[in-house]
Amino acid sequence: LPDLPPVSRCWSPGDASKVKVRVGPNYLSNGYKDMSLPALYECVGVDVVSAACRIDEAIPRLGPIPAGAESWSSTSRVPRALVVNCQLPFQEGPKLFGQHPPEDAGVSVIIHFVATPDLLKLATGQGEASDDRLPAVRILQDLMDRKTLDLPNGEKPGNSSVGVMKAIGQVEDLAQVDLPRYLRSSVERYNGKPILLSGCCKMFPSENGEFAEVDFDVRTFSWPTKSALCKLRDRMRSVTAHMAFVLQGTADEDLPEVVLADVRLHNVDLDQGAWIDDPRAPAPTKQGP
């Protein structure tokens, strides 16, 4: 995003080889997992920003499309640049019923990625025919052809759905992190486990296929998950978290899964996001006569 202070200290490139993903044969029966092959996209920047409203469709509405991957062509059927907008609330919201407080604009962690040379070669038929990342490339191409994260034919996303986006977050050196006793067992149990983002994310692709943004809103997570994330927000200032995004594969022809994009986040202070003026923010309410 434009005119923001540098935040390179808060991120570094991810390492997909440290992320466990599905592999065959017969994953649904055997449950085999192994470390991912190299990611299809590489991180080129991270912005932590807040506004007077939830920030949606940030790029290119509020900032430029990431540069890079100059050899990209629309014939690849994959985006040259990919942005993931993680929309995090500051409040837990209602436990059972009711909408999340509308005044909770929260903070966005906006992660910028560009296609790797390997992805562009594989997507245009110039890579090795034996490359095990080809199924993941095909799933990405199918997604971009649909131009939506919704599954075809009204399919309900689930464990056996192909092309569903998942997030895998792993706090590094978790044993050394100071956590509330009542939350530690849950954090340890789910650390590094995938979360299906179906139902809480939207994709905004460009008309020419060069760019896509994926926004996912933590406000729509289950209340226990949202509550835990809100309670642990301040711990982000002292940890390194590896965030990876994967398009789900199921049958042998869809496997192995491969990390789509990943990044390592370091000591992120979510309460100190750079303030931006979003034209979509509601006008301030006038006080007094």
Side-chain angles (χ1 to χ4, degrees):
L1 295 173
D3 302 322
L4 295 182
V7 291
S8 59
R9 67 184 181 277
C10 83
W11 72 273
S12 63
D15 181 356
S17 70
K18 297 184 181 300
V19 180
K20 283 189 174 183
V21 294
R22 295 178 172 188
V23 299
N26 303 317
Y27 172 79
L28 291 180
S29 297
N30 299 323
Y32 296 144
K33 289 192 174 184
D34 202 350
M35 299 305 181
S36 174
L37 295 166
L40 302 179
Y41 285 83
E42 58 187 346
C43 185
V44 294
V46 174
D47 293 309
V48 181
V49 292
S50 296
C53 63
R54 188 186 66 189
I55 299 171
D56 299 320
E57 297 180 83
I59 307 298
R61 188 173 64 86
L62 300 173
I65 296 174
E70 289 80 4
S71 63
W72 176 85
S73 165
S74 60
T75 59
S76 67
R77 297 168 49 218
V78 300
R80 178 188 65 78
L82 175 68
V83 165
V84 178
N85 176 9
C86 310
Q87 302 164 315
L88 302 163
F90 287 153
Q91 300 179 37
E92 298 176 9
K95 189 171 184 178
L96 293 177
F97 304 107
Q99 294 183 339
H100 193 87
E103 68 275 10
D104 181 16
V107 62
S108 276
V109 179
I110 301 175
I111 313 170
H112 307 256
F113 301 99
V114 296
T116 63
D118 281 357
L119 170 58
L120 297 182
K121 288 180 180 178
L122 291 168
T124 54
Q126 302 176 52
E128 295 290 336
S130 60
D131 195 307
D132 285 338
R133 290 173 292 179
L134 281 170
V137 174
R138 175 181 52 77
I139 292 172
L140 173 60
Q141 290 173 323
D142 291 344
L143 170 64
M144 298 311 301
D145 289 345
R146 295 200 311 269
K147 298 184 181 299
T148 176
L149 288 165
D150 295 335
L151 296 176
N153 304 316
E155 179 186 347
K156 186 177 180 180
N159 188 53
S160 59
S161 303
V162 177
V164 175
M165 182 166 281
K166 304 185 287 192
I168 302 174
Q170 183 161 11
V171 176
E172 300 181 10
D173 299 321
L174 182 59
Q176 308 304 318
V177 179
D178 180 25
L179 294 174
R181 290 183 61 185
Y182 68 97
L183 285 177
R184 177 169 287 280
S185 62
S186 295
V187 173
E188 290 176 344
R189 184 182 310 119
Y190 293 108
N191 195 40
K193 299 292 175 57
I195 297 175
L196 287 180
L197 297 181
S198 55
C200 68
C201 61
K202 295 181 180 180
M203 184 171 71
F204 304 95
S206 63
E207 286 297 325
N208 65 356
E210 179 191 5
F211 166 77
E213 174 174 329
V214 174
D215 293 0
F216 74 89
D217 188 1
V218 172
R219 293 166 185 79
T220 62
F221 283 21
S222 67
W223 186 85
T225 301
K226 185 168 53 174
S227 174
L229 290 173
C230 287
K231 287 182 171 66
L232 296 172
R233 185 173 76 235
D234 63 324
R235 301 301 199 278
M236 288 295 294
R237 301 171 188 153
S238 58
V239 303
T240 290
H242 188 184
M243 286 296 302
F245 303 95
V246 178
L247 293 177
Q248 183 166 275
T250 300
D252 287 351
E253 60 265 27
D254 306 321
L255 299 174
E257 290 181 334
V258 176
V259 168
L260 178 68
D262 65 332
V263 64
R264 296 174 74 227
L265 300 172
H266 312 284
N267 311 117
V268 176
D269 190 341
L270 296 173
D271 293 312
Q272 297 297 320
W275 185 265
I276 61 173
D277 293 319
D278 190 330
R280 294 183 178 178
T285 302
K286 292 184 178 180
Q287 301 292 329

